[in-house]
Amino acid sequence: MVEGNKIEAKKLDRGWLRIDGEECKGCGLCIEACPPKVIAMREELNPYGYRTAIYAGAGCTGCGVCFMVCPEPGAITVFRAVVRRVEGSGHANAGVEEAISCASN
Amino acid sequence: MSSEAVQEYTVAQGRAKSFYTRYERKDELQHQTHYCPGCGHGTVHKMLAHAIDELGVQDRTILIAPVGCAVFTYYYFDVGNVQAAHGRAPAVATAMKRSRPESIVISYQGDGDLSAIGAAEILHAANRGENISVIFVNNAIYSMTGGQAAPTTLIGQKSTTTPEGRSAMTEGYPLHVSELLATLEAPVYMERVGLGDNKQIAQATRAVRRAVENQTRGLGFSMVEVLSPCPTIWKMNPIDAQRWVRDVMEKTFPLGVFRDRTKETAPRHALRPAPALDAIPRLLGLAEEDLPADHAHTVARHREIDLQVRIAGFGGQGVLLLGEVLAEAGLDAGLEVSWLPSYGPEMRSGTSNCHVRLSSQPVDSPLVTVPSVLVAMNEPSLRKFDLTVRSGGWVIYNGDTFPADCMRDGVHVLALPFTRLAAELGDPRAANMVMLGALLEIDGVLPRASIEAALGRLVKNPRWIELDERALARGRELFKESLRQGSWAKESRAEA
């Protein structure tokens, strides 16, 4: 997964979504709630017979509204991009985290 | 030193720590709640779990599950859990909070649970200002049972029990619980929120957190009413159900804060803990020596004992005390006993009777419907219970002559003017003890020491103990005399 991975690209989306296709029951509330409209309903059914929500793959702002409206405890995980400033070499843990998105949506 | 910027993703929002990662209710689908798609319960669960996480109280939270769709909260929340009887969650929460004051006690209830069968519990818990947090999920219907009308059902709303729509004339008006409880003095925080759109949900999240936070500050009773969608029973898709909360429900149940005294309220004093078991005798004014010692005078179990006694008379004749002394003595003798009084509201006069059982086996029922001994302290009582005495049993009757029409084959009778005999001893009120003395001779099962111990525990006045002991002795004597004279001998003709 993307968590913890250092991504070299300079321009990341501010947010990223992971939707658990086994926990999602396809109610669609996240699709309705999402401000940038980057969540859709998958066409095919999951093993339990639900159509589930799916992240479009780009455009997430990390606002977290989808998570807030989702009735399932862990169906949605919201990630936000942070900048880690690495001072020299060998001091990777001394970095300062700085959120580049503040979920103002 | 050179520095370089690296971008990476970190989790901003995800499953709360207060949730289990697997729900062990079923063998399969352990990662899914049992709620329908779009159900408001899941959303409220998440608010609550995140509030518990953020306040750092997971290890001391006790969540009281209701009856209703949310009955299974204990499968989801990794906290202390209790599941209460229907509507009783606030009462259980009260007990939990009082017995474990350091705990964070949350009562999670639906509208059928809280506003119908549990209306009294929530009212009084709120009125006492219990330092608990109540999450009241209102979806205007009984969902788990299939869509019956609740007190919160809207006017005109169809349900299985209001198929034409709720009518104020027949079902009354929707119950506004938050407004109702806000008339009470004690609650500190009461807010109604909704799950009707993003903004409402954000507000609801804050309100749920506040309700729990107030408790951590010791402020007192907090309740959040959440207008919550039920797509399945409302027969709507989740999006329409969400809109219905916003566009329809909110008209009847306006959102807002109905009580907020969190700023001016000082933390409640810790309640004095309930007395420990060993402190109770002192509180009741019982001295150490009055307490029943375990099996102080245990009777030899050479035979099965099953003494069933009905004692009846007018109130004030000492009917209940007679039974109590008998039962207490049985307890002292290591028997299984029961004592069941049955009397009217009058403290004097009126009829009174009690059921006493002494047995070597556990007593299955305290009722004595077919007594082996009937103690009748007056004629009406005799006539009422005479026919119930079992064959081979005894009737001890307080009267000069035993009414001829009450004579029965196979039942022994001891009829004596016990009241007058007691008066000769010094007080007619001791008649009950004279009769008890006779009764004890009949069965002969209880050691005298047990009777004395029982009397000492139940009778406080030394003058009366002295009189009662003489009365008991007189009763024993009278029984033996009557045996010698054969005056009681109304033996069964069938046996003869």
Side-chain angles (χ1 to χ4, degrees):
Chain A
M1 280 311 300
V2 287
E3 184 178 358
N5 288 354
K6 290 177 183 176
I7 294 167
E8 296 302 322
K10 285 293 166 202
K11 283 250 334 149
L12 283 181
D13 276 336
R14 284 183 293 168
W16 183 271
L17 282 185
R18 184 174 68 197
I19 298 175
D20 184 333
E22 296 214 319
E23 186 163 343
C24 174
K25 290 172 181 164
C27 70
L29 289 176
C30 56
I31 298 172
E32 177 79 5
C34 176
K37 299 290 170 209
V38 294
I39 309 175
M41 194 70 88
R42 196 190 279 270
E43 281 304 320
E44 56 273 27
L45 304 178
N46 75 357
Y48 311 120
Y50 291 115
R51 289 181 68 193
T52 59
I54 183 172
Y55 176 43
C60 174
T61 61
C63 71
V65 168
C66 56
F67 178 83
M68 194 173 70
V69 302
C70 173
E72 297 302 315
I76 295 179
T77 308
V78 180
F79 298 88
R80 280 187 201 142
V82 294
V83 174
R84 186 188 289 276
R85 213 167 283 283
V86 182
E87 299 285 341
S89 59
H91 291 87
N93 292 335
V96 184
E97 284 192 6
E98 179 193 337
I100 56 173
S101 160
C102 61
S104 55
N105 285 293
Chain B
M1 268 233 183
S2 67
S3 75
E4 62 176 316
V6 193
Q7 277 191 316
E8 61 188 32
Y9 283 118
T10 58
V11 175
Q13 281 162 309
R15 178 193 297 275
K17 286 204 308 293
S18 300
F19 281 123
Y20 290 114
T21 48
R22 279 271 180 264
Y23 316 131
E24 294 186 347
R25 181 175 153 248
K26 301 180 288 189
D27 291 337
E28 74 287 2
L29 292 179
Q30 291 194 341
H31 50 276
Q32 285 196 341
T33 64
H34 71 290
Y35 298 115
C36 308
C39 172
H41 274 304
T43 317
V44 180
H45 279 21
K46 281 170 75 176
M47 293 171 182
L48 194 54
H50 283 277
I52 292 168
D53 278 8
E54 285 165 27
L55 294 165
V57 294
Q58 182 184 2
D59 290 342
R60 56 188 180 112
T61 293
I62 300 175
L63 183 61
I64 317 289
V67 169
C69 288
V71 66
F72 291 137
T73 55
Y74 48 86
Y75 282 112
Y76 306 135
F77 284 88
D78 185 7
V79 298
N81 288 283
V82 178
Q83 201 271 315
H86 205 357
R88 280 27 169 180
V92 175
T94 299
M96 280 292 157
K97 186 68 186 181
R98 289 189 178 198
S99 55
R100 307 183 69 90
E102 75 292 350
S103 296
I104 300 301
V105 180
I106 300 163
S107 175
Y108 187 107
Q109 300 178 265
D111 51 321
D113 189 79
L114 181 142
S115 73
I117 194 168
E121 277 75 12
I122 191 66
L123 182 70
H124 292 289
N127 193 41
R128 293 189 302 266
E130 296 295 342
N131 187 23
I132 59 174
S133 313
V134 178
I135 310 299
F136 169 33
V137 178
N138 178 0
N139 59 16
I141 199 113
Y142 277 85
S143 296
M144 192 189 76
T145 49
Q148 295 79 7
T152 43
T153 296
L154 309 186
I155 293 293
Q157 186 182 346
K158 288 183 177 171
S159 71
T160 58
T161 48
T162 56
E164 314 256 300
R166 179 178 186 157
S167 151
M169 293 304 290
T170 47
E171 287 88 40
Y173 291 90
L175 199 63
H176 291 77
V177 176
S178 290
E179 286 88 337
L180 197 66
L181 297 186
T183 63
L184 301 172
E185 208 48 50
V188 292
Y189 174 62
M190 210 163 291
E191 178 166 358
R192 183 184 289 124
V193 295
L195 302 181
D197 56 30
N198 297 351
K199 209 175 145 197
Q200 287 189 0
I201 292 171
Q203 179 58 26
T205 306
R206 286 191 286 273
V208 168
R209 191 196 140 112
R210 274 193 78 187
V212 181
E213 190 180 3
N214 290 342
Q215 187 181 160
T216 65
R217 292 168 56 201
L219 298 184
F221 186 88
S222 301
M223 186 180 91
V224 178
E225 175 177 349
V226 186
L227 304 185
S228 171
C230 177
T232 302
I233 298 295
W234 292 356
K235 300 183 176 67
M236 297 177 195
N237 70 45
I239 310 295
D240 289 341
Q242 191 182 51
R243 285 200 188 106
W244 200 78
V245 168
R246 187 176 65 225
D247 298 340
V248 181
M249 258 188 107
E250 198 192 323
K251 300 276 188 297
T252 298
F253 296 111
L255 306 187
V257 178
F258 295 94
R259 168 67 56 84
D260 186 356
R261 290 184 181 166
T262 51
K263 286 204 174 59
E264 61 266 39
T265 302
R268 286 161 65 93
H269 295 296
L271 292 167
R272 205 187 305 167
L277 195 59
D278 53 8
I280 289 173
R282 187 179 47 76
L283 292 171
L284 295 175
L286 295 174
E288 196 66 32
E289 60 270 22
D290 290 339
L291 297 176
D294 282 344
H295 301 226
H297 307 102
T298 305
V299 288
R301 294 285 174 76
H302 51 82
R303 63 180 171 103
E304 282 292 300
I305 295 159
D306 185 22
L307 180 62
Q308 304 200 14
V309 185
R310 193 75 177 256
I311 304 150
F314 284 138
Q317 281 188 307
V319 168
L320 303 187
L321 179 65
L322 197 169
E324 267 184 292
V325 173
L326 186 59
E328 185 80 30
L331 208 56
D332 187 272
L335 295 171
E336 302 280 342
V337 306
S338 68
W339 172 77
L340 181 71
S342 165
Y343 51 87
E346 306 93 337
M347 291 301 282
R348 292 288 181 271
S349 81
T351 58
S352 165
N353 72 81
C354 70
H355 312 237
V356 177
R357 289 190 63 175
L358 304 184
S359 175
S360 40
Q361 300 297 323
V363 175
D364 51 2
S365 161
L367 286 175
V368 175
T369 48
V370 186
S372 48
V373 180
L374 168 66
V375 178
M377 300 192 69
N378 57 35
E379 191 176 330
S381 301
L382 173 71
R383 293 192 177 280
K384 189 167 178 188
F385 296 112
D386 181 40
L387 293 176
T388 63
V389 180
R390 71 178 60 172
S391 182
W394 277 83
V395 177
I396 305 176
Y397 174 61
N398 178 22
D400 287 306
T401 52
F402 194 78
D405 56 327
C406 290
M407 296 285 188
R408 277 203 298 137
D409 288 348
V411 174
H412 311 289
V413 172
L414 175 66
L416 289 169
F418 289 100
T419 305
R420 202 175 66 227
L421 291 164
E424 287 167 9
L425 294 174
D427 196 317
R429 285 176 291 175
N432 58 344
M433 291 301 146
V434 183
M435 297 180 88
L436 176 59
L439 189 158
L440 292 168
E441 279 306 303
I442 291 177
D443 195 77
V445 64
L446 292 173
R448 201 163 291 204
S450 291
I451 299 292
E452 280 163 13
L455 207 58
R457 272 177 224 135
L458 293 166
V459 180
K460 288 293 149 214
N461 186 331
R463 192 179 71 82
W464 270 102
I465 294 182
E466 187 272 329
L467 177 62
D468 284 344
E469 279 174 355
R470 279 193 290 125
L472 283 166
R474 184 75 181 116
R476 292 178 193 274
E477 253 170 56
L478 285 165
F479 181 78
K480 286 176 194 154
E481 279 172 24
S482 65
L483 267 188
R484 282 194 291 277
Q485 293 164 8
S487 68
W488 52 271
K490 298 294 174 193
E491 291 277 10
S492 160
R493 261 164 273 164
E495 284 174 29

